[in-house]
Amino acid sequence: MTVLLTGGAGYIGSHTAAELLAAGYDVIIADNFSNSSPAVLDRLEQIAWKRPKLYNVDVSDKSAFERVFAENKIDSVIHFAGYKSVGESVRVPLNYYRNNIDCTLATLELVDKYSVNSFIFSSSATVYGAENEVPYREDMRVGPCSNPYGWTKLFIEQIIKDFSSAKPEFSAVLLRYFNPVGAHRSGLIGEDPRGIPNNLMPYISKVAVGALPVLKIFGNDYPTRDGTGVRDYIHVIDLAKGHVAAMRFAENNRGTEVFNLGTGKGESVLEMVGAFGNACGRPVPYEFAPRRSGDLPEYYADVRKANEVLGWKAELSVADMCRDAWNWQSRNPNGYEE
Ligand code: NAD
Ligand code: UDP
């Protein structure tokens, strides 16, 4: 069975590729490396002893992207391609709407033309907006979103639902990720953000490896157990396995289903900093700073639906997440750059 990963050279796509290859699937990656490195392909080959087929292509350029469908018999598409920085989406919203929505429309039009009936989409917990109580359940209200990135996810969810309704043989799965962290156990692939990281775990990793001096903790006056923000961190390998489970589900389903992928447990920033210090063998320097605008105090997933319907459950602990993030960071202090 052949699975096409749009954006498959990125952080989550590369780990999903590793899991799919290990499970015996043929993997095709379509990526323009706007936020990833071609070195991922060599690393995947080292992990899996098999190299995914690569197309270096802009997925939003339908006529260029069509070659992938014309030259291969694709059974399932996992659609990761898109921009993902919340802050950048506020600064250049049109780039986000253009790239994220065009990538999706081009992919769906080709999926339609080439009769691919299984489609998995990378959505985000950010679609739940600020009004819901925790834990977030899939049937809770979505929106309003606090930034253009979040809106692209919500609009794309709707586009996929409408397409799916019009095509009875089609099966779509919308996966709402919580906070993916960690890296492959081998230390060969991991998260490699460009420039100064925005997200907590890559920032902690850079401080721990000495590339940045100190972590700023955004807010210590939230109504949480230690005053710092609480999130549902999920090991990227558990997340990757969630995609394999979702794809198997899609094979035997029709219509659109939504699943949260998280652990169901919240950890505070201070707890993550402490766990990372244990993993790397020395405390991670931090200081408290004002709250970051747009941040919610606390959210985590209700994961019962994914547990029951997909038969999938996150298994790795916060200690595993920190161990693997540190292993990746310390072996690759400059990411994929040699
Ligand atoms: P990433 O940036 O590492 O991966 C995205 C990949 O898409 C990159 O390799 C990039 O080069 C590629 N890409 C972007 N635009 C493209 C285009 N026009 N044509 C071809 N390739 C293109 O991000 P990630 O963390 O692996 O996230 C994957 C998906 O999951 C994204 O859609 C993201 O929004 C979503 N998501 C991520 C998180 C997270 O915290 N990492 C959380 C929720 C949802
Ligand atoms: N955070 C922080 N310092 C940083 C980055 C993040 O204190 O340099 C906090 C942030 O306020 C939030 C948590 O860490 O409470 C997770 O933030 P991240 O950006 O990783 O993910 P988010 O859940 O905001 O998408």
Side-chain angles (χ1 to χ4, degrees):
M1 191 174 151
T2 302
V3 188
L4 169 62
L5 310 188
T6 73
Y11 173 46
I12 301 169
S14 58
H15 289 81
T16 304
E19 287 305 308
L20 287 168
L21 290 167
Y25 293 95
D26 291 322
V27 174
I28 301 174
I29 289 177
D31 203 301
N32 65 356
F33 303 111
S34 55
N35 195 39
S36 53
S37 162
V40 164
L41 276 295
D42 298 334
R43 303 290 182 93
L44 282 172
E45 191 172 8
Q46 284 179 58
I47 291 171
W49 295 94
K50 202 172 166 197
R51 198 177 176 87
K53 192 168 175 182
L54 170 72
Y55 286 85
N56 182 346
V57 66
D58 183 338
V59 166
S60 70
D61 178 351
K62 187 177 142 194
S63 54
F65 187 28
E66 178 155 10
R67 191 157 79 89
V68 181
F69 289 78
E71 291 178 0
N72 301 280
K73 167 80 190 76
I74 292 160
D75 299 294
S76 184
V77 172
I78 310 184
H79 180 45
F80 298 102
Y83 297 152
K84 65 161 180 178
S85 160
V86 168
E88 192 180 49
S89 81
V90 175
R91 288 192 297 278
V92 286
L94 298 186
N95 291 3
Y96 272 67
Y97 286 113
R98 169 70 74 195
N99 190 54
N100 293 4
I101 292 178
D102 278 3
C103 279
T104 307
L105 291 176
T107 307
L108 286 176
E109 284 169 0
L110 291 167
V111 153
D112 192 21
K113 179 166 175 186
Y114 289 86
S115 303
V116 180
N117 285 326
S118 158
F119 186 86
I120 317 294
F121 173 60
S122 302
S123 191
S124 166
T126 191
V127 301
Y128 287 111
E131 310 298 322
N132 293 305
E133 287 188 6
V134 293
Y136 291 166
R137 261 193 344 267
E138 290 86 347
D139 58 3
M140 283 177 168
R141 228 189 93 155
V142 288
C145 299
S146 54
N147 56 75
Y149 166 73
W151 282 114
T152 69
K153 292 293 172 194
L154 193 50
F155 293 156
I156 291 169
E157 285 200 0
Q158 189 60 44
I159 291 168
I160 295 168
K161 284 180 190 161
D162 290 341
F163 175 70
S164 184
S165 302
K167 212 174 143 69
E169 65 279 23
F170 190 67
S171 173
V173 179
L174 312 179
L175 296 177
R176 293 184 182 151
Y177 309 158
F178 281 66
N179 288 54
V181 297
H184 193 267
R185 191 79 170 91
S186 63
L188 287 165
I189 54 174
E191 189 168 14
D192 182 20
R194 295 190 171 165
I196 295 178
N198 298 307
N199 297 112
L200 180 67
M201 274 295 255
Y203 205 107
I204 295 180
S205 304
K206 292 277 181 206
V207 172
V209 83
L212 291 170
V214 62
L215 170 75
K216 284 192 163 50
I217 296 184
F218 299 139
N220 63 342
D221 57 352
Y222 283 113
T224 58
R225 52 185 174 267
D226 59 22
T228 65
V230 168
R231 296 288 182 276
D232 183 340
Y233 297 94
I234 174 170
H235 197 298
V236 66
I237 291 298
D238 278 330
L239 191 77
K241 289 183 172 152
H243 290 73
V244 181
M247 216 180 59
R248 290 187 174 139
F249 169 83
E251 295 301 302
N252 302 305
N253 192 56
R254 296 291 171 263
T256 307
E257 283 292 341
V258 184
F259 296 98
N260 288 336
L261 293 184
T263 63
K265 291 190 293 269
E267 307 290 331
S268 75
V269 177
L270 276 173
E271 287 163 350
M272 294 306 283
V273 171
F276 205 97
N278 291 338
C280 71
R282 54 186 174 274
V284 177
Y286 67 84
E287 62 194 27
F288 293 119
R291 293 179 180 191
R292 183 171 67 178
S293 102
D295 273 358
L296 295 176
E298 172 169 29
Y299 61 86
Y300 49 93
D302 183 323
V303 288
R304 283 174 298 177
K305 186 174 175 194
N307 293 171
E308 286 159 20
V309 180
L310 297 181
W312 166 91
K313 197 171 192 307
E315 281 165 354
L316 297 168
S317 66
V318 167
D320 296 327
M321 300 174 203
C322 294
R323 175 199 63 205
D324 295 339
W326 175 240
N327 185 39
W328 154 254
Q329 184 66 65
S330 52
R331 282 170 183 246
N332 306 271
N334 302 314
Y336 290 107
E337 240 172 59
E338 293 293 333

